Amino acid sequence: MVVADAQEQEFSLDQYLKEKKTIVEAALDQSVVIDEPVTVYEAMRYSLLAGGKRLRPILCLAACEMLGGTAEMAMNTACALEMIHTMSLIHDDLPAMDNDDLRRGKPTNHKVYGEDIAILAGDGLLSYAFEYVARTKNVPAERLLQVVIRLGQAVGAEGLVGGQVVDLQSEGKTDITEETLTFIHTHKTGALLEVCVTSGAILAGATEAEILKLQKYAQNIGLAFQIVDDILDITQTAEELGKTAGKDLDAQKATYPSIWGLEKSKAEAQRLTEEAIASLGEYGEGAAPLKALAEYIVNRKN
Ligand code: GRG
């Protein structure tokens, strides 16, 4: 009896990721349909459907479901988060930014469609993301408004854009402090991961206290995610990453391993993950997906 209970309670992250990835991929496929002018829609779909871990939509679904909401309530926002993430990758890869040829194991958007269309495909995804959230059915409009406000904050100069600007300005400088590096990453990477979790919670009708708790969880996994990203850039091959490896060294970018060394970076990522997991203590069984996702972030290989 006890054994059966234990088996019932066992949570398989592999199974969970597989299931969620399947429904997210199907929803993304339906979210952007080809229309006129065909080229820009094709370019949007090329990057949106190019694979990737789909971590951001899955975090949104997991937070919503943990707080009693449904996948249906969160799916438009989950897709919108992936649209925004994808557009940030398209723009990040442009010659004027990181100038990269490979993303998600495929040629980057501008390599296929040209810089002009790649910029516009990114713009198309960004604007459609907000429309797509607003089109959510069966969720009170007040919750959708909160999500739109937080998304705007996470993406604009207060978030991704601000982080990217400081990142570009820091390139090639040898005196970047830990404080600047943390500013870059909490804005460039952390802000979007944070809104993935908090938007899922808001859509489920979370209280202010619950949102704050999940915000803490998300901030910790956001920083851990970036530390691991820096580590993988120097320890994995391009084939394993699906993008160019060793970019940070080549661009003379300050990274956590360059400031702390590899061992301290690994230890710090682990500490942040444990803190994130501990902050979900009161949610019991229902927190299994978010806890396992935190572990996944620190142990991932790409
Ligand atoms: C958002 C308006 C707007 C402009 C974009 C270019 C830019 C401003 C910001 C750069 C943001 C950026 C590319 C941050 C890096 C985030 C990161 C670590 C991406 C890798 O995420 P994974 O590993 O990738 O989840 P997959 O492919 O698995 O989805």
Side-chain angles (χ1 to χ4, degrees), residues 6-295:
Q7 277 171 352
E8 272 165 26
Q9 285 166 12
E10 220 167 78
F11 175 80
S12 161
L13 179 68
D14 283 350
Q15 185 65 21
Y16 182 83
L17 288 177
K18 208 167 142 197
E19 278 170 24
K20 293 296 184 211
K21 211 173 159 188
T22 303
I23 61 166
V24 166
E25 296 284 352
L28 286 171
D29 192 24
Q30 286 172 14
S31 67
V32 177
V33 290
I34 301 282
D35 204 333
E36 296 289 341
V38 171
T39 313
V40 77
Y41 283 99
E42 279 180 354
M44 287 158 73
R45 282 178 61 87
Y46 172 78
S47 292
L48 189 63
L49 303 177
K53 296 180 284 299
R54 308 308 193 191
L55 189 58
R56 290 155 190 82
I58 294 174
L59 280 169
C60 178
L61 297 176
C64 184
E65 290 182 330
M66 185 182 86
L67 293 175
T70 62
E72 194 200 359
M73 292 164 85
M75 194 52 88
N76 273 40
T77 300
C79 289
L81 288 159
E82 190 65 24
M83 288 176 206
I84 292 171
H85 170 55
T86 301
M87 79 71 59
S88 80
L89 299 179
I90 296 174
H91 282 198
D92 193 53
D93 291 333
L94 287 167
M97 304 249 185
D98 256 12
N99 192 18
D100 226 318
D101 297 347
L102 188 67
R103 175 67 72 177
R104 292 173 164 171
K106 297 174 75 173
T108 44
N109 199 289
H110 65 273
K111 284 278 158 192
V112 179
Y113 295 96
E115 279 180 58
D116 45 5
I117 296 296
I119 292 169
L120 292 164
D123 294 343
L125 284 170
L126 179 62
S127 16
Y128 190 50
F130 285 88
E131 177 184 337
Y132 211 59
V133 171
R135 287 190 184 280
T136 303
K137 295 194 177 76
N138 302 323
V139 172
E142 173 56 29
R143 293 185 199 169
L144 298 180
L145 187 62
Q146 286 306 315
V147 169
V148 166
I149 290 170
R150 281 175 185 257
L151 259 186
Q153 287 174 328
V155 169
E158 256 184 85
L160 263 81
V161 168
Q164 179 76 348
V165 168
V166 179
D167 192 17
L168 292 172
Q169 289 171 341
S170 304
E171 238 171 75
K173 288 190 184 162
T174 50
D175 56 351
I176 299 302
T177 61
E178 188 180 320
E179 194 187 358
T180 304
L181 189 62
T182 300
F183 177 94
I184 293 170
H185 294 313
T186 50
H187 290 74
K188 201 180 134 168
T189 308
L192 192 61
L193 288 167
E194 186 177 317
V195 76
C196 293
V197 177
T198 53
S199 64
I202 290 167
L203 292 164
T207 63
E208 203 52 46
E210 284 172 324
I211 296 169
L212 281 174
K213 196 155 285 174
L214 282 179
Q215 200 168 348
K216 189 77 202 120
Y217 160 87
Q219 285 167 351
N220 283 325
I221 62 161
L223 201 49
F225 182 95
Q226 187 58 52
I227 297 171
V228 171
D229 217 63
D230 285 358
I231 294 171
L232 294 177
D233 185 69
I234 49 177
T235 56
Q236 302 294 99
T237 64
E239 212 170 40
E240 287 162 330
L241 293 177
K243 60 181 181 180
T244 314
K247 280 287 286 189
D248 298 337
L249 272 179
D250 289 348
Q252 292 181 293
K253 272 193 184 181
T255 63
Y256 287 105
S258 75
I259 290 185
W260 293 336
L262 211 49
E263 287 317 306
K264 185 176 170 196
S265 301
K266 285 181 186 168
E268 186 58 11
Q270 188 59 42
R271 187 191 68 74
L272 290 162
T273 305
E274 281 162 20
E275 210 170 293
I277 290 171
S279 68
L280 299 178
E282 73 190 64
Y283 294 104
E285 286 285 299
L290 283 183
K291 287 182 180 175
L293 283 163
E295 293 279 6

